[in-house]
Amino acid sequence: MTGQTGKLGMTLSASAVMKNLEIGVWALEIVEGQKPRMFADTIMRKLLGCPEVTNPEQIYELWSEGIDEDAEALLDDNLSKMTEGQVSEVQYSWRHPDGSVRIIRCGGQRNWSFTEGIRCEGTHRDMTGIVHID
């Protein structure tokens, strides 16, 4: 939908919407014999508290170090579902480098065109301040 004009006459841009909603985009690569790598867009790096870091190994390390122990099994299950080809989403607690605990919603799926190992791609959003109305 990037750049398309809808019936309301406004221009819709997926990247602008994602930026305004602070939804980051990531890709996680697991290749045998190599450290895991996480590629992150600007929004994702900002959410992780490392906007200046672009090294994929460092980004992965920062993200994985912030995972609460209680959430590890949940994230392992989520990653297993993605690597099997399912679209999966999970919400979990994550410790930000500033010391705060954030509630993260993360979802994604496997990219089967990546043949060097496993590559999952998805989105990441800080849900801590979001109010849900039932």
Side-chain angles (χ1 to χ4, degrees), residues 26-70:
W26 55 265
L28 172 63
E29 290 182 356
I30 301 170
V31 177
E32 193 170 327
Q34 297 180 14
K35 290 183 177 183
R37 298 180 298 235
M38 179 176 275
F39 298 88
D41 72 351
T42 304
I43 299 166
M44 177 70 176
R45 291 194 315 270
K46 178 183 168 194
L47 291 168
L48 292 174
C50 63
E52 68 288 341
V53 176
T54 57
N55 178 301
E57 291 83 2
Q58 290 174 329
I59 294 170
Y60 174 82
E61 190 173 309
L62 178 74
W63 169 72
S64 65
E65 286 176 356
I67 298 169
D68 280 346
E69 284 183 32
D70 295 342

Side-chain angles (χ1 to χ4, degrees), residues 11-106:
T11 301
L12 301 175
S13 166
S15 61
V17 170
M18 290 181 68
K19 181 178 180 182
N20 289 336
L21 294 174
E22 294 187 330
I23 298 173
V25 177
W26 55 265
L28 172 63
E29 290 182 356
I30 301 170
V31 177
E32 193 170 327
Q34 297 180 14
K35 290 183 177 183
R37 298 180 298 235
M38 179 176 275
F39 298 88
D41 72 351
T42 304
I43 299 166
M44 177 70 176
R45 291 194 315 270
K46 178 183 168 194
L47 291 168
L48 292 174
C50 63
E52 68 288 341
V53 176
T54 57
N55 178 301
E57 291 83 2
Q58 290 174 329
I59 294 170
Y60 174 82
E61 190 173 309
L62 178 74
W63 169 72
S64 65
E65 286 176 356
I67 298 169
D68 280 346
E69 284 183 32
D70 295 342
E72 287 178 6
L74 184 65
L75 285 168
D76 286 345
D77 182 55
N78 186 53
L79 184 58
S80 292
K81 288 177 181 175
M82 282 190 266
T83 59
E84 293 168 2
Q86 298 177 46
V87 175
S88 186
E89 182 175 85
V90 67
Q91 192 162 300
Y92 63 97
S93 298
W94 184 76
R95 287 179 320 281
H96 192 275
D98 69 8
S100 65
V101 175
R102 312 284 173 96
I103 304 301
I104 303 300
R105 178 169 292 156
C106 178

Side-chain angles (χ1 to χ4, degrees), residues 103-117:
I103 304 301
I104 303 300
R105 178 169 292 156
C106 178
Q109 64 185 27
R110 185 168 181 172
N111 177 339
W112 291 99
S113 65
F114 184 78
T115 58
E116 297 171 36

